[in-house]
Each structure stands twice: as structure tokens, then as C-alpha cells.
Amino acid sequence: MSKKSADGNQRSRLNASGLPVFLLILAVPLVVLFWRSFDPDYVHFSNDGPLGALMSTRAQVPESLFGSWADLNSYGSRDIGTTPNITFVLLWLLGPVGFSKFYVPITLLFVGGCAWLFARQLGLGSLATLIGLAAALNADFVGTSCWGVGSQTICFGLNYLALALIISPHSMSSWLRYSLAGFAVGLGVMEGFDNGALFSLFTGTFVLVHSMLKDGPVAKRVVSGVAQLAIVAICAGFIAAAALATLVGTQIKGVAGTAQDVESKAARWSFATQYSITKKEALGMVVPGLFGFRHDTPGGGEYWARSGSDPSWDEFVDSGGQKGQPRGAFRAGAGSTYAGIVVVLLAFYGLVQSFRKRDGPLTKEERRFVWFWAGVVLVAVLLMFGRFAPFYQFFYALPFVSTIRNPAKFLHVAEWSLIIASAYGLKALSVTGFNGMVINSSALMAHWKSWWSKAAKFDRRWIIGSVLGLVLVALTWLVLASSRDALERHIVGLTNLQYAGMGLQADQTVATESAAANARNSIRQAGRTFLFLVPAVALVAVTLSGYFRGSRAKLGVALFVALVAADMVTINRPWVVFVNWKVKYESNPVIEFLRERPYEHRVAIFPLDRFVDFRRVPPELRPLGQLFSTFAQIYGIEWTQHLFQFYNIQSLDIIQEPRVAQDKAAFESAMTSAPPFRRWELSNTRYLLGLSAFVESLNQQLDVGKGRFRIAQRFDLAMKTGVDQSVPQSEQITTVINTNGQLAVIDFGGALPRAKLYSQWRVSTNDPAALQTWVKAIQPVVPPDWGAALAAQNQTDLATLHELAQKDFDPTQTVLLAEPLAAAPGTNQNPGEVRFESYAPKRIVLSAKVDAPAVLLLNDKYDPSWKVLVDGQHAKLLRCNFIMRGVQLMPGEHRIEFRFAPPVTGLYVSLCALLVGVVMLVCLAVGARKGD
């Protein structure tokens, strides 16, 4: 049987001809999915990269390339920022609105193009279109991009590109190809960060395997493989220098719980494995939406399984609510797992063919590659189970793996490698069914009868096995449909457990109706799988018969492409969500009030549940609890994540913080034993959003004798006018000023100013034994990572934290320093005044008139990358009140500038590597042109 490639003589060069045509073909289904991107009023929804965040001052490019300071949440923190990668270029060129519109389809075009290029180097010719389309429309890749992390999808594509360079038969020096492959892997790290690091492990392993499977002496193959891997690793590290420096500085160094001792890793296990995929959900790779899609999918498509739950729910759910005390999220989901019927079928076909030692369509080397990629799929699937299977613990034991969150990230590896395996399966099918001379030019049925009468034993067995597989799938569908009542009860049970774990009671009517819709959707999706599997099996069978050889080859390719497009486009629709950004980011009176000089105060929602149990208040006050609950949801969903970012309003509340800095964890731990308002005092949280009826109670119960809480503005919630009712309810609600409003912006007069001069300062001291007793008393009520961070502090820092938490400490009179100053503090006289000259997230300019030696406290988080200049001269940056920053000033008038200037050596190394990579790419292109 001929093993001639579908590319023929084009296999002698790096084959990229036809890429523009493929991209045009791919653009058709992408336009079908993302047509609304062309509407000026709409942008694509993004959970992790919303338009509001892109519009914030701290996210502006190219400035964010040189370090980013997240000033809009908590006390401020060093942020990942941007790196010189593809995403950065797109954001710079398109701007925030254009980026929000077109970034997702661009990432899918990219991953599809890279997968197509890999398939071309494999020798698939026009059939590479099928692999490129399958990658671009892969539901995991689409869901990942749509969720707001399209940079990860670009990372997947870059690793396809690296593989294409590795397997390419290009006649130019292999060191050039392997160097470019290394640059692709490194650029993938800059896009995907820890995802890029995971992918680099598998791509690097393939480099060794690719060398070892060639013919020749073993020693030569080993040496060659190690040398090639070294080239890839060095070039990857070279170009990823900026990302690696950022990763270490923001994700590992100084982060609570990232220590590599046994205790720290054990304490971090629950956090690190939250997003584990249950074993049952692996079925979602062949049955789309078996457990639902997004939580807001209409028609019963809401996610109802258990992935993404905090591990504390495991015991609670498994015991039927009898054991354990759950916390955190329950069934948050982990995206889509669907790979596509055609992809799975082709991958299985290639695996079966790989076991044919004689007369098979795959070469000995290709058969081994199939085994390798099948092994990668298996390993990735086992690891993505995380805490739901025993395998991830062995990976977790490796150095620094505990700093990587979410075993579900191995789902990406599984899907990525499954598409590669399907490419080998497609190649095996093409050798049999597309290449060679036409056997019979008659009609399909006549051709089939003629072929079947003399078909090879393997081909007959494949057809018979395929039919039996269809029967098995149909029977499974029928069994699932007959078990509908049990499935509904199971879903209702999960809902009841979810509410019980939160101390609530589910509405049984709503729960039952929702469960019925979910069950119908699951059964419908199982039936859908059967209905798409039938034409997929038929197409493979007809191709195997040789019907698509010769002039019918284009028809065969077109039918495969159409089937993949029909399958994947329809199933990806739940992940494609557009929002009217002009409506979503419309301001309101409260936002207008808070955005006035927002850098001089922070905002927080009042933690009403800590002070009021509405189950015990008089009945007439209970509606207030419901009102506040509604507002709290809007605040947490729309205000902090979107409006505050869009209008640069600084909030004490956290949006997303998977990795808490060690000093912040220690500070927050200490605040658990402090007076309830101390955190607001120290953090410049002047405005609290809460119920107006409780302001007087705050003064009487929390702030006795001081009365520092007052109403700054009353308001009520109201519906926006002229808004499409199809948008989420949280986006339909605005605020109106009302002198009798039940909600209020509460002005807390006890909050420290953002910038303040002190004539009194000192370094705290305390008895070590007393401090350790205090630490032990706090640890049981804080997360393990926080308690460990608190215990790790030195005696001076512990003493500072202890004093800050004491009721009799007056933060308006004294500032606590981490180390003593040469100058002695003065008297209690007024040290002077300070005001803002200008404010930007990474550059703050103040002017001060100082009447006595003083410490200027700036209530923003301390970081050694902040530099301070006084009258143009560098001064020592002080760590004040444990977590804030400041500077010492002598009497006189001064101009003080705080400037965030993290090291940028890694950035310049990456830029240099990019330049080298461009030169190499030009050399490769010139060499390819000469080879034509």
C-alpha cells in the first residue's frame, strides 16, 4: 500500500502555501459565531479581561509593558502587567474596544492557522484544513478564549507552530528550525504563563522522542536529542525572560503558601486543586454539554456537575450534607471539554491503525508517534482529574508545582494532543482513502458493493466495529433517556446540598423545574452525539473504500470540513456572549460621586452579614435585608468588576486574587483580632456602601462616643430606561438619588487620609512569648496560608501587627515603622500639611509644607520596586504600619514623587530575543523560497 504523502514533492520544504486560503475558509464559521463583533455597540463578554479593566488607567499600553501596579483593589499590588507578546501587540493596535470585539476570533484564527501548518508538515495537503478547523473550533479552546484568557489559546497555537518546525523536512540547518521552535515555546510561556510552562514540558519531551525514533545508532540519537532539546530550552528561556521574571515576582516570590516545605505544600493542596475535573466529566470530550455549559445558559444548559468546587464541599456532598463545613465556591465549572466527534473518531482510527505491523498505512516512525501522543492524552486526562483521582498528587510533589493552580489546565493539553493524534489518524485514512488511483468510478452504492467484496480484513473489521459502536451509543442514549427521573432527582439533590451548605433553603419548585430542564438538555446532548456520529462513521467508511480518490478528493475533504463546522459551530454558541458596552458601562449618580478624585479615598461595601442577622430582626426590617442582598450582588458583579475599573474608582474589595502576597496575608490575619473598623481606618476606606437605616446604629454600637459614621448621599435602585430586557438583570439596574433612600454612601470620618504627615513614629516591641500566644489564637480563624504567613514574620513585624490590632492604638497620632530612623520623633505639634499634585498608578506626586521632622505616610501598599524622590533626590522608602509606604521629611517645602520602577532587564532580553527570532524567520523564509 502506498505511503506517499498527500503533499507529494512539497514535503521537501517548509510548506505554508495555501495558508491564506485556509484562513478565509476558517473565517466563515468564525463570522457566523462572532458576527456581532461588527456592531459598534457590542463587545464580547470577558470574565478575566473585561472592557472596564482594559479601559482602566493601569492597563494602558505600552506603559504597562514596563511594569504594572494594580491600584484599584485592596491596598494596591504589583501586577503581572503585559509582556512583549502577540496579545500586547493586538491590544496596542486595536485599542480596548476593538480588542474586546475581535480578540477572541483572532486567537481562534491563530490557533487554527498554527494547527494547519503542523498538519501540512505532517503531509496532509488539503486535508490540513480539517485539522486547522478542528483546532480553531475546539470547544475547550473557544471556551477558554471567550472566558477572557485568549492568550492561553495563542499559547496552544504557538506550541503547534513549534511542532511544525520540529517535524518539518526543511532542508535548512536543523539548528535554525529548533531555535525558532524554542522561540515559539518561549513566546507561548509569555502568553500562557503557567499554562505555557506546562505545554513546554510536553513539547520538550517530543523533541527528545522525535530524535530517538529516527534510524541510526542509539548514542547518536541520544546526543542529537539532548542537543536539540538544549537549543529549544535556551531559546525559549531567552525569549520568555520578561514573563519568567514577572512570574517569579508576582506568583511565587513573597506569595503566601508558595514555600516548598512539606507543610506549606500540604496546606496549599485544597487551593491548588479546586478546579479539578470529575472523572464522569471526561465523557464531555465526546458528549458536549452533558453536564451543561455556562451557568447562565438558557434552556436547561446550566452547568450542574461538581468541577470547580472548593474541596471542602467534597465530604459535605459525599455524606449527603451530614459531614463537613463547606466554604468557597460550589460547582463553579471548568469550561467546555468537547473535542468533536470527528476528532475523537480519527484519533481512535489512528491508534487502531498504529498496531498494524504489516501493510498498514503508517510508517514505523509514525506508529510510534501515535503511541506517544496517545500517551500524552492519557497522562493529561488522568492529571486533569486532580483531587478526584490518585495521579495528580505525584505531579504535585515536584518542585514548585504547588504554585500552579488548577489540574483542569491539563484538559488543554489533552485536547491539544488529541487533535495531533487525530492528524495522524487522518493521515492513515488519507493514505488508504485519498491517495492512489481511482478504483471504481461508479456510483456510491455500486462502488461500495464492489469494494466490500474484496475489502481487506482490517477494513472489514473496522466497519463492523463502527456499526457495533453506533449501536452501543444508541443503547446508551436510550438508557439515559429512560433514567430521566433519577437524573432529575440527582440534580435536585445537588441543588439542595448547595443551598444547605450555604445555610439556605432552596425553592423546591424552582429547583425541580431547573433540574427537569437540565436533564432534558443532557439527554438531548447524548442524542446529538449519536446523530453526529452516524455521518462521521459513514464518511470514514466511504473514504476507507477509496470512493474519494482522484477527482472526488475535493468532495471528500469538503464533506469532512462541513461536518466538523456543523458540529462545532452549533455547540460553541453558549460560550459566545456579547454585551452592549455602552449600556453596561453607563454611569450613575453614585458612581459619579465616587469617581471624584478617587485616589484620595477607597470604597467598600458594608459587611452587613457580620453585624446583622436578618432572621432575628423585626419583620418590618427584613425587606431591607433582601434589598441589601440584591445591591450586594450588583456591587460584586457589576460595580467592582466593571464600573469601578472603567471609572478608576479604588475599592478595598477584591475582584480576583488567587495568590495573596505574604505580607498582605499576615496583615489580614492580624485584622481578624482588631476592632471592626480598624481595617477601614488604616486603608483609607472613607466610603462604605450600605443601608441608611443602620448608620445611627453604627455610631452607637461600633463607634461609641465618636460618631464618625454619617450619610454622604442617599440613593435607591431603579431600572434603566430603554434597555433590552434580554440583558442580565444586574445590567438593567441603576441608582437614583433620593433624600429618603434606603441605601446610602456612608462617609467614615475615621479613615486615615491617603497621604498624612506624622511627627510621632516608633518601632513596635513586645514580649516574644505574648506574640506567639497571639499568633496561635488567630491561626484557627484564618486560611492556612494566611496563618502560616503570619507565623513567619519576625518579632518586630509581629509586634507591629499586634499593636495595629489593639483597640487603644490611635493610628491618627502615631505611625509604626519597620526599622528605626536616625532622627528622633518630635512633639505632638502639627507637622504640616500635604496634598496631591498629580496621580497615576505608577507615579504619584505630592507637595508638602513640613513644620517639624515628620514621616509622610502614603496609604498604599509597600513594595521594594517603589522609589521615592524628595525634591528630585532619591530618599529611603519606608515601610509604615507594616504594609504601607512612606518617607521621612525635614522641615520645609518639598515635592515628593513616588515612582514604581520594577526591574526591566527581562523585558530587554525578551525584546532582543524577538529581534533575533525575526531575523531567523526571514532566513527560513528566504531558504524556503530558494527551495521552490
Side-chain angles (χ1 to χ4, degrees):
M1 185 174 292
S2 172
K3 294 181 178 63
K4 181 181 178 183
S5 73
D7 260 343
N9 60 2
Q10 295 182 12
R11 282 282 288 156
S12 64
R13 62 184 176 85
L14 185 65
N15 186 11
S17 61
L19 180 59
V21 174
F22 165 72
L23 294 178
L24 285 174
I25 294 172
L26 176 56
V28 174
L30 291 181
V31 168
V32 171
L33 283 171
F34 298 97
W35 63 270
R36 209 161 193 177
S37 293
F38 299 97
D39 188 323
D41 292 345
Y42 283 83
V43 297
H44 193 274
F45 164 85
S46 175
N47 184 78
D48 286 16
L51 177 61
L54 298 178
M55 293 289 285
S56 65
T57 304
R58 74 173 183 85
Q60 299 306 298
V61 294
E63 177 62 24
S64 59
L65 195 63
F66 299 91
S68 177
W69 185 258
D71 63 329
L72 300 183
N73 292 106
S74 188
Y75 320 106
S77 63
R78 185 177 178 180
D79 194 22
I80 292 178
T82 55
T83 55
N85 55 20
I86 297 170
T87 297
F88 166 77
V89 173
L90 290 173
L91 180 57
W92 197 0
L93 292 177
L94 297 174
V97 175
F99 184 87
S100 296
K101 287 175 171 291
F102 298 108
Y103 181 56
V104 174
I106 289 174
T107 64
L108 300 176
L109 274 173
F110 183 82
V111 72
C114 291
W116 177 91
L117 188 60
F118 165 77
R120 291 284 278 186
Q121 307 322 302
L122 198 60
L124 286 179
S126 59
L127 285 170
T129 299
L130 182 62
I131 300 302
L133 192 70
L137 299 180
N138 176 276
D140 173 50
F141 297 175
V142 172
T144 297
S145 286
C146 288
W147 196 244
V149 281
S151 57
Q152 294 181 14
T153 306
I154 293 176
C155 166
F156 311 154
L158 286 164
N159 279 271
Y160 280 132
L161 181 60
L163 296 181
L165 288 162
I166 292 168
I167 69 171
S168 172
H170 194 283
S171 57
M172 293 193 70
S173 299
S174 61
W175 71 265
L176 180 60
R177 288 189 292 107
Y178 279 93
S179 297
L180 284 171
F183 284 139
V185 171
L187 196 55
V189 174
M190 284 209 290
E191 290 282 358
F193 287 88
D194 50 1
N195 282 279
L198 291 178
F199 270 81
S200 69
L201 297 177
F202 292 96
T203 302
T205 303
F206 178 75
V207 171
L208 283 175
V209 170
H210 185 258
S211 177
M212 292 297 297
L213 293 184
K214 293 181 178 178
D215 294 328
V218 175
K220 181 179 179 180
R221 285 181 284 161
V222 171
V223 171
S224 176
V226 171
Q228 291 164 356
L229 179 59
I231 292 174
V232 171
I234 291 171
C235 291
F238 185 24
I239 202 169
L244 294 174
T246 302
L247 273 172
V248 172
T250 61
Q251 310 296 298
I252 299 177
K253 186 178 179 181
V255 175
T258 56
Q260 294 304 290
D261 58 276
V262 175
E263 292 77 11
S264 296
K265 295 177 75 169
R268 195 172 177 81
W269 170 260
S270 293
F271 171 80
T273 60
Q274 176 179 342
Y275 284 87
S276 299
I277 297 179
T278 61
K279 293 187 285 294
K280 291 180 180 178
E281 288 183 76
L283 293 171
M285 298 179 76
V286 291
V287 184
L290 181 61
F291 297 92
F293 301 94
R294 291 166 49 118
H295 284 286
D296 55 357
T297 307
E302 299 90 351
Y303 178 75
W304 56 267
R306 288 174 54 184
S307 291
S309 301
D310 187 280
S312 62
W313 283 90
D314 292 350
E315 184 181 20
F316 185 79
V317 172
D318 294 339
S319 67
Q322 301 302 311
K323 297 180 180 179
Q325 180 58 52
R327 61 182 183 276
F330 177 57
R331 62 184 187 188
S336 177
T337 59
Y338 186 53
I341 288 296
V342 173
V343 168
V344 174
L345 184 62
L346 288 175
F348 183 68
Y349 178 80
L351 181 62
V352 173
Q353 285 281 17
S354 71
F355 290 104
R356 295 181 67 183
K357 295 183 178 180
R358 296 180 181 178
D359 300 324
L362 298 175
T363 65
K364 180 180 179 181
E365 182 179 295
E366 289 170 339
R367 290 167 50 221
R368 291 175 175 176
F369 285 146
V370 170
W371 297 339
F372 171 78
W373 289 114
V376 172
V377 173
L378 178 61
V379 168
V381 168
L382 294 178
L383 290 176
M384 80 182 189
F385 294 147
R387 70 179 189 276
F388 296 116
F391 310 103
Y392 189 76
Q393 60 182 318
F394 300 108
F395 178 73
Y396 188 79
L398 297 175
F400 292 103
V401 168
S402 62
T403 65
I404 299 176
R405 189 186 183 196
N406 304 344
K409 290 176 179 176
F410 280 98
L411 170 64
H412 305 321
V413 178
E415 300 278 354
W416 175 77
S417 50
L418 186 62
I419 291 171
I420 296 171
S422 73
Y424 281 95
L426 184 58
K427 185 172 185 181
L429 186 63
S430 70
V431 170
T432 304
F434 284 98
N435 295 337
M437 298 181 61
V438 178
I439 298 176
N440 191 330
S441 60
S442 57
L444 176 59
M445 292 307 298
H447 168 85
W448 179 264
K449 291 179 180 179
S450 175
W451 172 79
W452 182 256
S453 63
K454 51 189 175 183
K457 182 183 296 185
F458 174 88
D459 296 340
R460 283 174 172 269
R461 289 177 176 176
W462 172 263
I463 300 299
I464 294 172
S466 297
V467 173
L468 291 176
L470 283 173
V471 172
L472 179 62
V473 171
L475 290 175
T476 303
W477 176 23
L478 293 175
V479 170
L480 180 62
S482 65
S483 305
R484 176 174 162 181
D485 290 343
L487 181 59
E488 290 181 13
R489 289 194 297 271
H490 174 72
I491 298 173
V492 169
L494 285 176
T495 301
N496 289 335
L497 287 171
Q498 179 182 12
Y499 276 80
M502 296 185 296
L504 303 172
Q505 186 172 0
D507 184 316
Q508 292 305 297
T509 301
V510 174
T512 301
E513 292 176 352
S514 177
N518 289 148
R520 286 195 301 270
N521 174 74
S522 297
I523 295 169
R524 184 168 57 246
Q525 295 305 322
R528 180 192 186 280
T529 295
F530 174 75
L531 295 178
F532 271 94
L533 185 59
V534 170
V537 166
L539 264 180
V540 171
V542 172
T543 304
L544 193 59
S545 73
Y547 183 76
F548 292 126
R549 289 180 180 174
S551 60
R552 296 195 189 110
K554 291 183 179 179
L555 173 62
V557 174
L559 289 174
F560 269 108
V561 167
L563 181 60
V564 169
D567 181 19
M568 304 308 294
V569 168
T570 54
I571 211 62
N572 281 322
R573 288 188 181 278
W575 303 99
V576 181
V577 178
F578 283 88
V579 295
N580 187 319
W581 70 274
K582 294 180 179 178
V583 172
K584 186 178 185 69
Y585 291 99
E586 180 183 340
S587 186
N588 62 62
V590 176
I591 294 295
E592 290 300 307
F593 177 86
L594 297 175
R595 67 183 292 200
E596 184 70 25
R597 298 178 69 85
Y599 48 83
E600 292 189 351
H601 55 256
R602 289 190 173 91
V603 184
I605 193 167
F606 187 79
L608 194 64
D609 56 337
R610 286 177 51 191
F611 301 98
V612 180
D613 184 351
F614 276 92
R615 293 172 297 184
R616 299 181 180 179
V617 299
E620 62 271 16
L621 293 181
R622 290 176 186 172
L624 291 178
Q626 183 59 47
L627 171 66
F628 186 78
S629 177
T630 300
F631 174 68
Q633 292 180 14
I634 296 171
Y635 176 85
I637 296 173
E638 295 299 328
W639 287 29
T640 60
Q641 298 188 48
H642 299 284
L643 293 177
F644 281 8
Q645 307 284 312
F646 192 87
Y647 294 104
N648 291 293
I649 296 171
Q650 300 189 19
S651 171
L652 185 64
D653 297 303
I654 301 298
I655 298 176
Q656 293 184 19
E657 193 176 30
R659 296 170 177 86
V660 182
Q662 184 169 341
D663 55 354
K664 181 182 176 182
F667 182 79
E668 296 287 2
S669 298
M671 290 300 102
T672 60
S673 67
F677 49 77
R678 179 56 48 82
R679 187 165 173 259
W680 302 332
E681 287 179 325
L682 297 174
S683 61
N684 178 233
T685 305
R686 179 177 175 183
Y687 295 121
L688 302 169
L689 300 172
L691 292 170
S692 57
F694 287 89
V695 173
E696 194 56 40
S697 297
L698 291 176
N699 286 322
Q700 294 176 0
Q701 298 177 23
L702 290 183
D703 209 30
V704 181
K706 296 180 180 180
R708 294 178 294 177
F709 293 95
R710 69 175 186 86
I711 294 178
Q713 188 177 78
R714 290 177 180 262
F715 65 95
D716 281 320
L717 301 180
M719 302 299 293
K720 296 178 181 178
T721 57
V723 177
D724 185 354
Q725 298 301 303
S726 64
V727 304
Q729 185 178 12
S730 60
E731 296 180 25
Q732 299 180 33
I733 298 177
T734 186
T735 65
V736 293
I737 301 302
N738 185 348
T739 55
N740 296 313
Q742 294 179 311
L743 296 167
V745 179
I746 303 170
D747 188 341
F748 174 48
L752 294 176
R754 182 62 60 90
K756 178 177 172 60
L757 292 173
Y758 286 86
S759 60
Q760 293 290 315
W761 63 84
R762 68 170 182 270
V763 177
S764 294
T765 59
N766 210 329
D767 177 57
L771 293 178
Q772 292 303 319
T773 300
W774 173 67
V775 170
K776 290 180 180 179
I778 294 176
Q779 282 183 319
V781 297
V782 298
D785 289 353
W786 290 15
L790 179 64
Q793 302 305 310
N794 59 44
Q795 293 299 309
T796 300
D797 284 341
L798 281 180
T800 300
L801 290 169
H802 182 260
E803 186 167 1
L804 289 172
Q806 299 308 300
K807 184 177 181 180
D808 57 359
F809 174 72
D810 186 355
T812 66
Q813 297 299 314
T814 304
V815 61
L816 304 180
L817 304 182
E819 54 185 319
L821 299 179
T827 63
N828 286 325
Q829 70 182 87
N830 183 7
E833 60 183 21
V834 59
R835 65 184 182 88
F836 280 86
E837 290 286 337
S838 64
Y839 178 88
K842 297 197 298 182
R843 185 175 179 269
I844 301 170
V845 180
L846 305 164
S847 62
K849 183 178 180 182
V850 184
D851 298 328
V855 167
L856 168 60
L857 167 67
L858 182 65
N859 280 305
D860 282 320
K861 188 175 179 295
Y862 173 89
D863 187 285
S865 291
W866 278 97
K867 313 300 177 186
V868 59
L869 291 86
V870 178
D871 301 326
Q873 301 297 314
H874 285 279
K876 181 179 177 58
L877 183 72
L878 304 179
R879 185 156 62 91
C880 306
N881 288 346
F882 181 76
I883 203 170
M884 305 301 182
R885 61 182 182 267
V887 65
Q888 184 180 13
L889 299 176
M890 292 295 107
E893 295 188 2
H894 301 287
R895 182 178 185 272
I896 305 98
E897 178 182 352
F898 289 89
R899 183 183 300 167
F900 184 62
V904 291
T905 304
L907 170 64
Y908 294 128
V909 172
S910 291
L911 291 174
C912 181
L914 283 169
L915 180 60
V916 173
V918 169
V919 172
M920 287 185 172
L921 196 59
V922 171
C923 292
L924 193 66
V926 171
R929 187 178 296 274
K930 289 181 178 179
D932 289 346

